[in-house]
Structure formats: C-alpha cells, structure tokens
Amino acid sequence: MSAQSVQNQTGLRRDWFTITSLVSKDFKLKYRRSVLGVLWSVLNPLLMMCVLTAVFSTFFRFELEHYPFYLILGTTLFSLMSDSTNTAMTSIIDSAPLIKKIRIDKIIFPLEKVLFQMVNFAISLIAVVIVMVFLQIPPTFNLAFLPLLLVYVALFSAGLGLILSTLAVFFRDVVHIWSVVTTAWMYATPLFYPVSILPDWMLGFEAFNPMYHYVTYFRDIALWGNTPGAIENLVCFAMAAVTFLVGFFVFRRAQKKFILYV
Amino acid sequence: MPKEVNTSSLMTSAAAPAADEGRTVIAVEDVSMVFNIANQQLNNLKEYAIALARRELMFKEFVALDHVSLTVKKGDVFGILGTNGSGKSTLLKIIAGVLEPTCGTVEIDGSIAPLIELGAGFDFELTARENIYLNGALLGYPRRFIDEHFDEIVDFAEIGEFLDMPIKNYSSGMVARIAFAIATVIVPDILIVDEVLSVGDFMFQQKCEQKIQSLINEHGVTVLIVSHNNDQIERLCNKAIWIEKGHGRIVGSAEEVCGIYRALGGHTGSAQAEAQLLELIESPVAPAEDALEVIAGDTRYSTNVQLARRTSLAAGGTATIAFGEDPDAHLLAVALAGALQGAALITKADELPDATALVLAQMAPSRVVLMDRDGQLAADMVDAVRAVVGPACEVTRLAADGTVALARGALAYADAHHATFSPVAFVVGGNGAFASATIAPYLARHGSQLLFATEGEPLDGTVMEEMRKRGAQEVVLLGSVPVTEKGRHAAQQAGLTLTALAGDSDAEAHRTALRWLTERHRATGELVSRLVLTTLAGPTDSYSAAALAAQDHAVIMMADHNDLDSMAAVVSFIEEERGAVDSVAVIGNDACFNGTDRKLVRKALARAKAAAQKG
C-alpha cells in the first residue's frame, strides 16, 4: 500500500482513529495497576455521595426528597464539565513533544480529553442507576432526553476546553486560576443545596449559569420526571453552541503559534 | 580577533547547480523563520506585563532561517549539512509542515513521512503492541493498515517476545527500533530523515541505512537527510546544501558540498581566508603525492620520541630531559640541547615513558641533564635515567625555583661545558610561548642564549651585560618582556639591538615570529625547503619538532584546522615560497589535522610547484 492511498482517506476518519487511540491510551493508563480498575469510576461518585450526604444532611438538614440522588446527579454532571475542562486545558502543553515533531491536527488533543471524560461519565452513570434502584425512584420516558443533555454539556465543555487550552499555552497562570474558578463555580451552582435557599439576586445570576441549566435539566429528566420544554432546550443548546463556536475559532486562530510557545 | 563564522553565500559560477530535468517535489522559496526569543521566555502574566512595560516584547528576535531556497527533484537524495544550531532541523520541520515559516513558501508534491525525532508520542507505560497502534494513529495510518503491517513492524524491530511488555522496560535501542519500524512501514513519496541514524547501536544504524537505501533504490523515494555525519551524506546523497547560521551557503552535488563543508564547515575565520581556501579546494590541481608525511604519536611523549628518532643522534652527546607538561622547561631543554649539539626529550613527572627510555638508551649519551623547575620531577627520576643510560653517563639534575632561575642554571651548565652561543640571544616573557615555538628550530640549530623574564625579575642591566659577555649582539624579546630602564640603557651601551616579537593573540605572535625567522633565512641566503605543521593548541609539539625542523632547514608553522585564517596562512606561505617548500611534515593525529586538511596542504604544494615551474 502506498502512502498516497494511506493518507488520502478522509481526514475526519483518520482523526477519529487518532482520537479513539488516545482515549484508549488514557483509559488504559488511568486504571493500570489498580485492583478494582474501572469499578472505581462507579465507586468514586457513590462514595463521594455518601460523604456529602452525611455532611450536608447532618449539618444543614435540607428539606429535599431523595437528597442523595439529588446530590449525585449534580456532582457527576458538574465533574464531567470540570474534569473535561481541566484535562483539556493542559492537553496542548502536555502534548508539546508531539506537536513539535509531527504534523497533526492540534484540535484533536482537547477534544480527545472531553471524549475521555464522557466515557468516564458513562461509567459513572452506573452509580446513578444504583442509587435510583436503591431509592426506588421510577425511571420515566424523560430519560430519553439524556443524550441531548450530554451533547449540550460535551459541546459546552469542549468550547471551554478549547479556550482554556489556547490560553494555557500562552499564559500558564490560567492553569492555576482555573482550579479556583471551578471550585467557586461548584459552590455557586446548586449541587448540594436546594435552589430555594438562594437569595433573589443569586437566582438572577443562575439564569446565566450554564451549569445551573444543565444540572436542573438532568434533575428534571431523572428525578422530578419533568419534560424539558422547547425554550429550556433552546437555552441549553444556545449556551453550548456559542461556547463551542467561540472556543473553536479562538483555537483555530491561535493554533499556528502553539509550537513556538509550548 | 573575534571568532566569526562566515555565512555569506559561496555560490560561485562553478558551484551553481545545473538546471536538471525531473519533477520538482519540494520547492522551498525564500523561506525565513524568525523566533521571538523574548516572547517565549514569558510563562506568566506578570512576566508579560513587565516585558510590556519595558517594551521588550518585540525585540530579541532570533533568525533561525534567513531567506533559504532549495529545490528537490523527484528521486533526489538531498543532504542538509551544517553545524549545530544552524537551522537544519528548523528547515526540515518547515518542510514537514510542523512549523509555519515566518515568510516564504514551501510547496510539496506528494506524501511525506517525517523521521524527525523518532518515537514522538510513545507512552512508556504502554506495551509495544499498544504503542505501535498509538504511534501509527498519530502518524495518520488507518487501523486496517496497521493491522496488515503489524508483523512487518515487529519483525523489523526484532521485539517478538517482548511485544506485550511495557516499553519502559525496553532498552533505548529497542524503542528506537520500534519507532523506526513504524515510521518506515509505509512507502512515502518523500522521506525526511533527521539525525535518526545517529541513535541505536552500530547494527541498528546499518539496518536503518539499508532500509533507507531500499526505499531509495526500489521505490524511487525522494529523501531529505540531515546529518552531522559528512560521510553518511556523501554516501547516501546525490545533492546537498550547506546551511550556516540560517543562511544557505552552497547548493550542489553531494560530493562537492561535502568536500567544501569538510574543509570549511564550522570553522572560524575571516571571509578572505575562507575564500582563499575555497578557491584552493575548487581548483582542479591534483594534490601532490609523497610530499607530505604525518608524524604523530598517541601522546605528546610518543610524538616527542618519534620526532627525536628522526634527528641524527650522535652517540656520546648530550641529552636534555624536561617535564612534558611544563612548556617553559621543555623550551629550555631545547635551547640547552641546541647549545650543546644534543637532543631534547620530555618525560612524565614520576616515570620515564618506555619509548623515551628506549630512545635514550639508543642515543647512549655521555651526559644527561634533567630540567627540574619547582621540583616537578620525582626525586627518583635521576635514578631512573641512570638505570637506562648506564654508570658511565653523567646525569645532572638542574633544579631551580621558577623559569628565570632555571634558564640561568641551564646557561651556567652550558658555560661549564664550553658551549658556544650564536650572536642572537632570546628572552621569553609573558605570553611568549607561541613566538618561542616558532623560534625553537633556531634555538635547536644555532644554540642561542635563552632567558626568561617576569615582572618580578625583569630584564635589567646585569642580565644584558651577561648576555653580551656570552657573545650576544642582538636580543630578541618573545612575548611581553619587562625591561627596566637600566636594562635598556645597558643594552644601548653594549651595542645590543633589541627586537620584540609579540602579538595580541597566539596566532598573531606566531606570525610575527615566523616573519622574523623567514627574514633571517633570507638574509643568510638559506632556502626554506620544508614546512613543519604543528597544532596551535599548545607549544609542546612544536618544541618537540624543533630539532627535526632545524635539521631539515624547515620552519614550523602552527595552525588550527578550525581557524581558517591559520590554515590560509599555511597555504599562503607555501605559495609565496614558490616551490621552494617541497614537502610538509604534519605533526599530530587526525584530531589536529585530518585528511581534508592534509589534502588542502598537498594541493597547495602541487600548485606552488606548478607555478614555480611555469615562472
């Protein structure tokens, strides 16, 4: 087989093979040498939920039905976003040796990280199902909206990841700032507490917090059995699409300079 | 004199590449690559803000490539030569599409397989099998292609049984083999090879070269190679370019460019010197045969012995021995041997080298003088020498503190043995080593008084008077010799002429002394028939060669093949003598003067001879 025919296959398909290879590498490396392996992706959110439930139901006593489930929905979805953005952010810096040596589409690296976190999220959904069964929460047809929600969150995280990875190349400070920002963002989003305790001005803020929308969407379809309306879907999609497009263009514009800075 | 590397284009009419047919596969047009060094050092906002405030952001540019152009035709094997940091790899990365040039265009016709730093993207926690797929994916191979060629890769890399072991447990050679195997499993239109052939062991390097050869011969792949290894480029390539500090210097056939690079590449010196040498390299004259001999030992001691063997040694004479790592003592040994018509040898501090002992035994001297400054020589050296030369021989140890005292001691010894001195006396001061090295044959031949002077013990009236008493009429000062007012006055009174031979640099001092020496030769009507070429790295070899040069009526020229000016001076000297110099003795191994340097000298000899015959 000549190189011409090897390299003439569509760029997209080639990139997809590269991305899946990298995801499988990350996956193998993540669970290498641990006895329970993949099980940790299920155990981790469960254990975290137990700790948080113990803490918050003892100290704060929120009047919430199925509080553990309320909690795990919020934390898993939020960590999908925060893990995606955090890993995507350093993906370009970390693949400096590659970028410097071979001709490769650089957008692969942040996108691969988001995809890898999606895989992890899919596994941690098992924990969500376990809690659902344990608390005997009946599933509804609204769960069919889950893939749509995942598309929104993936697009949103990828967009943020692209912006962050670009910024991190030029200013390493971003890496340090972002961990503070995600922590603040986590507390600003009603993950552990009910929306009802928020003051009015905070509610106004939440309207512009995409994660608030996505977490609420997730609880609507999984916990409360509500069908998300067209407007809610539009808001969620618009936030994701705008973020992604901004990220995409920022990345595209800056990527030629990456090699000089990594 | 600043050390400068020339970067101007060397393209002469002779070197211009012939317009050859064939499809152009790589066209690099006027490509420049400018890195902003200042920007790249800024890793955080604070540094950025400071730099912005100081308006440093736009400065500190580094030009890695400056308007470089080259054209590679289908089927060419193109070599890129240049010293470290000259922009070779940058150029390859631009061609491979990894880097974007600041200006200029690169047009590529065909697929490229870049072998630039193999194993990019290997993860050392993963097994070889996993890495083959991962690396393949990163290089853009489809999964099916890797499946099909998996066995081929494993076979080439010779890793069969270790396939499922994490590669962190592999040897670096094994990793390099896997990487090379993956990179060369496809048959590309253009193969870019960047120094990869310098990794791995000798077997692997051969295997890689064979693989590249087969791609060239069987598949007609166009290849671009960067290598430090000149021979490799000449062996593999048909065309080459020499890049120096980002400037394209010369493009042409691999043979021609390699020849020029070998002689000039990475060497410093003036543009005139370079032009002179280039002209000689390019001239069609055949190098003179049998006109050049190499005298070299493994160490300074064996070189010294080899040189001593070349001189006719009369039995029953005098041998002087100095510590080989003390050039001043060595020079004094040469001068004393010259005054007593003996031979000068050098020794290690604590033992007599075997070869030295052997030559000493063969000389069967009646007197041996050990020159010992500041007690450098071991106490039992006298016994060691006595054991070699036998009880009949008189062994003297001249011990003194400092070179000034040692020189006086040597003169006293010479006086005691009824030496006669030439009317020219020499005094060595600071930085006088290279002037002395040039003068050494004169000392060996004529037996001159040799004294040292320092700031603490300057040349004063008493010393001048002593020199005059020993028959001196002229005093030559080598290096910066401190002379007191009284000393000058005494010299004037005694009718001694003072000549100073010094220079700002070692090479300059050497040139000044050489000029003086050749004028002496001319004045006596004595032709310089031979040239002894020694290294500028130190005076020891020159001192060792002094007796041989004296015997052969030769002058010593010191040169460094990395210093174009010194090499050009050698060539000029040979050509100016117009055929009188008909042979050259090169002192030192390939590290000092390699085959290319020797060829250059032989060409100069041939041309000077031809010029002499014509005119």
Side-chain angles (χ1 to χ4, degrees):
Chain A
M1 189 187 269
S2 85
Q4 202 75 54
S5 54
V6 168
Q7 293 179 345
N8 263 358
Q9 60 169 330
T10 58
L12 221 64
R13 214 178 109 192
R14 204 181 77 194
D15 286 349
W16 180 246
F17 176 48
T18 313
I19 290 179
T20 50
S21 298
L22 285 169
V23 168
S24 103
K25 172 194 113 175
D26 281 347
F27 198 79
K28 281 171 192 154
L29 290 180
K30 182 167 180 177
Y31 299 111
R32 183 142 299 203
R33 295 200 187 285
S34 69
V35 180
L36 295 178
V38 184
L39 212 57
W40 277 114
S41 280
V42 180
L43 278 177
N44 228 333
L46 276 179
L47 293 173
M48 196 57 92
M49 179 202 72
C50 293
V51 172
L52 291 173
T53 308
V55 171
F56 286 101
S57 54
T58 320
F59 295 110
F60 297 102
R61 298 179 190 285
F62 298 126
E63 295 300 318
L64 271 170
E65 202 188 1
H66 304 311
Y67 181 67
F69 193 56
Y70 178 88
L71 201 65
I72 199 171
L73 289 177
T75 50
T76 48
L77 196 70
F78 193 88
S79 59
L80 167 61
M81 186 283 295
S82 72
D83 290 349
S84 299
T85 50
N86 266 307
T87 49
M89 179 170 59
T90 52
S91 64
I92 296 292
I93 300 170
D94 293 342
S95 37
L98 266 175
I99 289 172
K100 282 181 181 168
K101 285 164 201 165
I102 55 178
R103 183 182 196 163
I104 193 161
D105 212 350
K106 298 169 192 70
I107 206 164
I108 282 178
F109 299 106
L111 293 187
E112 179 269 321
K113 291 295 176 194
V114 175
L115 188 69
F116 175 54
Q117 296 306 336
M118 296 283 285
V119 172
N120 278 327
F121 178 78
I123 297 166
S124 63
L125 277 182
I126 297 170
V128 174
V129 171
I130 291 171
V131 179
M132 251 177 122
V133 171
F134 190 78
L135 297 177
Q136 295 177 340
I137 299 163
T140 64
F141 285 111
N142 291 317
L143 280 176
F145 281 94
L146 182 60
L148 206 55
L149 171 65
L150 289 185
V151 170
Y152 300 153
V153 178
L155 276 178
F156 177 71
S157 307
L160 267 184
L162 288 172
I163 297 170
L164 288 167
S165 61
T166 307
L167 284 174
V169 168
F170 302 105
F171 309 104
R172 304 291 146 102
D173 315 61
V174 174
V175 180
H176 306 282
I177 296 167
W178 190 245
S179 66
V180 180
V181 171
T182 40
T183 310
W185 197 354
M186 183 177 74
Y187 287 110
T189 310
L191 301 181
F192 318 113
Y193 52 84
V195 189
S196 53
I197 70 160
L198 286 175
D200 283 349
W201 64 270
M202 268 298 273
L203 273 176
F205 162 79
E206 297 297 357
F208 297 99
N209 176 1
M211 285 320 288
Y212 168 75
H213 288 276
Y214 299 139
V215 168
T216 312
Y217 195 107
F218 199 17
R219 285 168 183 159
D220 270 339
I221 61 174
L223 176 60
W224 298 320
N226 300 333
T227 309
I231 292 178
E232 186 55 24
N233 269 308
L234 197 66
V235 169
C236 286
F237 174 74
M239 285 175 156
V242 168
T243 314
F244 183 79
L245 287 176
V246 170
F248 185 78
F249 286 113
V250 165
F251 193 91
R252 269 287 137 98
R253 263 191 81 92
Q255 65 173 351
K256 279 179 185 171
K257 286 188 186 166
F258 285 174
I259 187 166
L260 304 175
Y261 292 84
V262 289
Chain B
M1 193 173 62
K3 291 274 178 199
E4 268 180 26
V5 173
N6 293 299
T7 56
S8 58
S9 172
L10 292 174
M11 297 294 276
T12 56
S13 54
D20 44 0
E21 63 281 5
R23 191 160 59 93
T24 302
V25 287
I26 302 173
V28 175
E29 291 275 345
D30 215 21
V31 160
S32 294
M33 186 76 218
V34 181
F35 292 106
N36 193 337
I37 305 178
N39 257 352
Q40 283 168 62
Q41 289 164 344
L42 305 175
N43 281 329
N44 58 48
L45 282 169
K46 189 181 119 197
E47 285 177 18
Y48 191 88
I50 293 172
L52 196 67
R54 287 188 186 161
R55 297 169 182 274
E56 275 178 3
L57 270 185
M58 291 306 146
F59 301 109
K60 284 206 213 164
E61 283 187 338
F62 171 69
V63 182
L65 288 177
D66 191 7
H67 300 285
V68 173
S69 300
L70 64 94
T71 313
V72 181
K73 303 277 180 189
K74 172 106 187 104
D76 272 351
V77 183
F78 205 102
I80 301 178
L81 288 164
T83 45
N84 275 336
S86 54
K88 306 183 298 284
S89 296
T90 307
L91 181 60
L92 277 200
K93 281 180 180 176
I94 288 173
I95 293 171
V98 178
L99 265 176
E100 190 109 341
T102 312
C103 65
T105 58
V106 177
E107 275 170 46
I108 307 290
D109 180 8
S111 64
I112 293 187
L115 292 184
I116 299 176
E117 292 177 66
L118 291 171
F122 270 10
D123 196 298
F124 282 73
E125 293 290 329
L126 296 180
T127 66
R129 185 192 299 278
E130 290 162 341
N131 267 308
I132 289 173
Y133 276 94
L134 178 63
N135 200 252
L138 290 170
L139 290 175
Y141 305 166
R143 174 171 215 99
R144 194 166 43 87
F145 178 82
I146 305 175
D147 287 337
E148 279 165 15
H149 293 81
F150 189 81
D151 292 337
E152 200 182 312
I153 295 170
V154 173
D155 281 349
F156 188 90
E158 301 166 26
I159 46 158
E161 51 187 313
F162 307 110
L163 203 49
D164 292 305
M165 197 165 86
I167 60 167
K168 65 180 173 187
N169 299 334
Y170 279 36
S171 72
S172 56
M174 285 166 92
V175 176
R177 284 209 296 271
I178 304 172
F180 187 88
I182 301 170
T184 52
V185 71
I186 58 165
V187 178
D189 296 328
I190 302 160
L191 184 69
I192 293 184
V193 186
D194 184 9
E195 312 261 9
V196 283
L197 298 177
S198 57
V199 297
D201 61 9
F202 148 78
M203 295 287 288
F204 173 65
Q205 283 184 20
Q206 264 190 351
K207 199 169 168 177
C208 293
E209 212 176 298
Q210 274 164 17
K211 176 80 188 181
I212 292 173
Q213 280 282 15
S214 87
L215 284 174
I216 295 168
N217 298 337
E218 292 162 30
H219 302 280
V221 172
T222 307
V223 183
L224 214 58
I225 298 181
V226 160
S227 177
H228 286 308
N229 190 336
N230 221 319
D231 301 327
Q232 201 169 41
I233 297 267
E234 202 164 8
R235 199 163 58 233
L236 286 170
C237 303
N238 64 338
K239 285 194 204 153
I241 182 172
W242 170 18
I243 296 180
E244 192 65 63
K245 301 269 170 287
H247 303 261
R249 296 215 70 187
I250 191 164
V251 186
S253 74
E255 199 185 340
E256 182 192 5
V257 175
C258 286
I260 292 171
Y261 179 74
R262 214 173 266 141
L264 306 178
H267 300 176
T268 54
S270 68
Q272 298 101 296
E274 193 183 58
Q276 187 188 353
L277 293 178
L278 178 68
E279 189 264 329
L280 184 59
I281 295 162
E282 300 245 289
S283 78
V285 61
E289 302 290 335
D290 305 325
L292 182 140
E293 63 171 333
V294 179
I295 304 171
D298 298 333
T299 63
R300 61 178 71 191
Y301 301 102
S302 53
T303 304
N304 175 263
V305 167
Q306 285 197 21
L307 285 163
R309 281 183 187 286
R310 295 300 192 90
T311 50
S312 42
L313 308 162
T318 308
T320 56
I321 304 179
F323 178 36
E325 284 170 42
D326 180 1
D328 290 344
H330 191 182
L331 180 64
L332 283 169
V334 170
L336 183 57
L340 297 170
Q341 270 105 51
L345 296 171
I346 51 175
T347 178
K348 292 181 185 170
D350 46 4
E351 60 163 341
L352 203 58
D354 290 343
T356 310
L358 200 65
V359 79
L360 193 59
Q362 283 166 354
M363 279 165 71
S366 59
R367 288 190 296 262
V368 174
V369 187
L370 279 163
M371 318 285 289
D372 186 8
R373 180 170 70 92
D374 303 335
Q376 281 166 327
L377 294 177
D380 58 359
M381 278 306 286
V382 174
D383 299 329
V385 170
R386 220 166 247 147
V388 172
V389 294
C393 177
E394 169 201 324
V395 181
T396 318
R397 181 194 194 98
L398 280 184
D401 289 333
T403 37
V404 177
L406 187 62
R408 292 226 177 97
L411 283 179
Y413 185 91
D415 286 339
H417 291 84
H418 318 294
T420 47
F421 295 103
S422 85
V424 185
F426 295 90
V427 183
V428 184
N431 297 323
F434 287 85
S436 326
T438 323
I439 299 303
Y442 191 92
L443 293 174
R445 184 125 184 256
H446 301 284
S448 295
Q449 300 179 56
L450 178 71
L451 283 158
F452 277 78
T454 61
E455 289 297 336
E457 292 169 278
L459 204 51
D460 56 18
T462 332
V463 185
M464 291 289 188
E465 184 54 28
E466 278 173 23
M467 283 197 283
R468 194 194 59 80
K469 274 185 188 159
R470 286 199 191 90
Q473 292 162 13
E474 182 182 357
V475 177
V476 177
L477 310 177
L478 306 171
S480 55
V481 179
V483 186
T484 62
E485 207 48 54
K486 271 187 181 163
R488 269 185 211 288
H489 187 71
Q492 216 167 21
Q493 290 278 304
L496 291 173
T497 36
L498 292 183
T499 314
L501 300 180
D504 292 337
S505 66
D506 293 343
E508 184 62 37
H510 165 62
R511 271 197 292 279
T512 312
L514 190 67
R515 216 172 297 130
W516 180 85
L517 194 63
T518 44
E519 271 161 26
R520 282 282 139 153
H521 277 279
R522 278 205 195 98
T524 56
E526 191 180 86
L527 274 180
V528 177
S529 62
R530 201 152 200 245
L531 186 66
V532 176
L533 195 58
T534 59
T535 171
L536 257 177
T540 302
D541 281 356
S542 304
Y543 294 158
S544 292
L548 179 70
Q551 176 187 299
D552 294 350
H553 297 251
V555 295
I556 291 181
M557 280 198 87
M558 301 171 88
D560 176 356
H561 69 159
N562 288 322
D563 178 352
L564 296 171
D565 289 300
S566 70
M567 291 306 286
V570 171
V571 169
S572 298
F573 185 83
I574 293 172
E575 298 198 331
E576 277 161 21
E577 294 295 313
R578 289 183 75 76
V581 174
D582 58 6
S583 71
V584 173
V586 175
I587 315 299
N589 52 23
D590 278 7
C592 300
F593 300 103
N594 56 33
T596 315
D597 309 322
R598 295 198 291 264
K599 189 173 165 190
L600 201 66
V601 172
R602 282 165 52 209
K603 270 189 147 179
L605 282 169
R607 205 158 72 167
K609 199 172 177 186
Q613 277 165 359
K614 220 182 270 174

